[in-house]
Amino acid sequence: MAGLIKLLQVTVPDMAYATLALDLKVLLVPLAIGIVMTVLSAWVPARRAMKLAPLAALRPFDAASVKNRAGKLRIVFGAILALAGFAGLVAGAMLKSLPIAFLGGLFSFPGILMLASLFVPRGVRHRALVVRGKVAGKLAALNSVRNPGRTTATATALLIGVTLVSMIMVGGQSAKVSLNQGLTEEYPVDLMVQSGDLNPAQETQLRQIEGISAVSRYESGAPKIELDNGTSDESYLFIVDTTTLQDVLQQNAPLPQDGELVYTSGASGDAKATTATIKGHELKLVTSSARYLPNMITRDTAQRIGLQHEEVMGGALVRLDDSVSDSQVKQVVEQISKT
């Protein structure tokens, strides 16, 4: 990244302000924490292993069982954490609160790990009985009960590994969906073609360009829009055909209906607006978070309020094929400009 930013500064003078916002502390602190945590997690079992005689190390050893004090404390604290975490998960689901559910999972997971010695060895043993007819099954069944602590530790390591992988996959997919949804809401149209007077023949030519899947022609005007919260707006207003527009807009983008105004400029003011008035005609207001897309009404609505003779600019909204790559977009734009 440092090299790319330096290249950007050299090749693009307007980007000379670009810097890498990453200091030495951001690099060293996570590295130090990772090293310290790794050493501390291995320190206790390593010391315990070094104190054992070679022959004693071959014997089964269960550091935390229900028969000793360490095992009993582990089970008590594990039960408390598991119950508290379960209550948090239930409360988070009922209240639809992500922070409460997150805390519930944060408590329940270590609680289950601390209680694993109660059910993991038995579960592995019963599972091994299914294949006990074979030599491998017999060895697995005997090995699972010979050293319950080792069986529990192995299962715990697998559980943590699977949990980490699942968390990364779910987090990555959630970030991808959130990013795509945010882009779709802010940029519901792939391309916008502006022309003084785009006729139906030119619209047909646009549809024939390779890489374009849908085209919707529009006219525009700039009437005064008065909102019921006391504010007004005189930005461009698109008059669209919903029949073709629904194939152009991205999923979940608001589509204007007769008697509605899709308002993309943001209902300014302390109070949110619910209706808009254009030339004395009241329209229902549907707000949109889309950027670079003017306000929209249907052609029937424009005819009803008397805007059909006030078009000052025409054009088309274009949707590209999903198979069009980033490098091919420039070629499509060049073909549109020639048309």
Side-chain angles (χ1 to χ4, degrees):
M1 287 304 300
L4 290 175
I5 290 177
K6 187 64 177 178
L7 180 63
L8 184 64
Q9 293 174 343
V10 174
T11 56
V12 185
D14 293 339
M15 297 295 293
Y17 64 87
T19 56
L20 182 62
L22 188 66
D23 54 18
L24 196 60
K25 180 177 65 176
V26 177
L27 294 174
L28 294 181
V29 171
L31 183 62
I33 293 177
I35 294 175
V36 171
M37 293 297 295
T38 303
V39 173
L40 290 179
S41 63
W43 182 262
V44 175
R47 287 189 60 189
R48 187 172 62 197
M50 292 299 294
K51 292 180 179 180
L52 290 177
L55 292 179
L58 297 176
R59 296 196 300 266
F61 177 73
D62 191 7
S65 66
V66 294
K67 299 179 181 180
N68 55 40
R69 183 179 179 183
K72 292 178 180 179
L73 289 176
R74 181 174 180 176
I75 292 173
V76 170
F77 281 107
I80 294 174
L81 290 175
L83 291 175
F86 179 75
L89 291 173
V90 173
M94 295 180 62
L95 299 176
K96 297 181 179 180
S97 174
L98 181 60
I100 296 178
F102 174 77
L103 290 176
L106 195 64
F107 283 105
S108 62
F109 187 75
I112 293 175
L113 293 182
M114 296 176 73
L115 295 176
S117 59
L118 296 179
F119 56 85
V120 169
R122 295 181 180 179
V124 174
R125 181 181 60 184
H126 291 314
R127 178 62 179 171
L129 291 176
V130 179
V131 291
R132 197 167 182 175
K134 300 181 180 179
V135 177
K138 293 180 179 179
L139 291 176
L142 294 175
N143 199 32
S144 64
V145 297
R146 180 179 293 114
N147 195 332
R150 182 174 59 192
T151 303
T152 303
T154 303
T156 300
L158 290 174
L159 178 61
I160 293 175
V162 171
T163 302
L164 288 175
V165 173
S166 301
M167 180 187 67
I168 293 173
M169 294 180 64
V170 172
Q173 185 65 21
S174 300
K176 179 181 178 181
V177 171
S178 299
L179 178 61
N180 290 336
Q181 183 177 358
L183 290 175
T184 299
E185 291 177 355
E186 294 191 5
Y187 305 96
V189 176
D190 292 337
L191 295 176
M192 183 185 301
V193 181
Q194 294 182 347
S195 174
D197 184 17
L198 185 72
N199 53 55
Q202 291 174 320
E203 181 182 1
T204 303
Q205 292 177 0
L206 288 177
R207 297 179 185 276
Q208 295 174 352
I209 295 178
E210 184 178 359
I212 293 180
S213 62
V215 177
S216 179
R217 190 163 59 95
Y218 68 85
E219 296 84 27
S220 65
K224 185 177 182 180
I225 302 174
E226 297 179 351
L227 306 180
D228 61 354
N229 62 357
T231 61
S232 61
D233 186 7
E234 295 186 10
S235 58
Y236 275 113
L237 177 66
F238 274 19
I239 303 171
V240 297
D241 181 6
T242 56
T243 304
T244 57
L245 184 63
Q246 62 183 354
D247 297 329
V248 174
L249 293 179
Q250 298 290 341
Q251 188 177 8
N252 299 327
L255 189 69
Q257 303 296 328
D258 292 338
E260 292 183 349
L261 167 66
V262 173
Y263 195 69
T264 59
S265 301
S268 58
D270 297 333
K272 293 294 184 181
T274 57
T275 61
T277 302
I278 303 177
K279 286 194 165 187
H281 295 268
E282 187 177 283
L283 302 176
K284 180 182 177 182
L285 196 67
V286 179
T287 58
S288 172
S289 59
R291 296 185 180 182
Y292 306 109
L293 188 63
N295 310 319
M296 296 184 296
I297 60 174
T298 64
R299 289 178 178 173
D300 291 340
T301 303
Q303 185 176 6
R304 180 167 61 88
I305 64 179
L307 285 180
Q308 68 271 21
H309 300 301
E310 297 186 7
E311 294 84 8
V312 296
M313 183 180 67
L317 303 176
V318 177
R319 181 166 186 172
L320 302 178
D321 289 330
D322 296 335
S323 59
V324 175
S325 62
D326 296 339
S327 60
Q328 295 174 327
V329 173
K330 184 178 180 180
Q331 299 177 1
V332 175
V333 172
E334 291 177 351
Q335 293 181 12
I336 291 177
S337 62
K338 294 177 181 179
T339 303

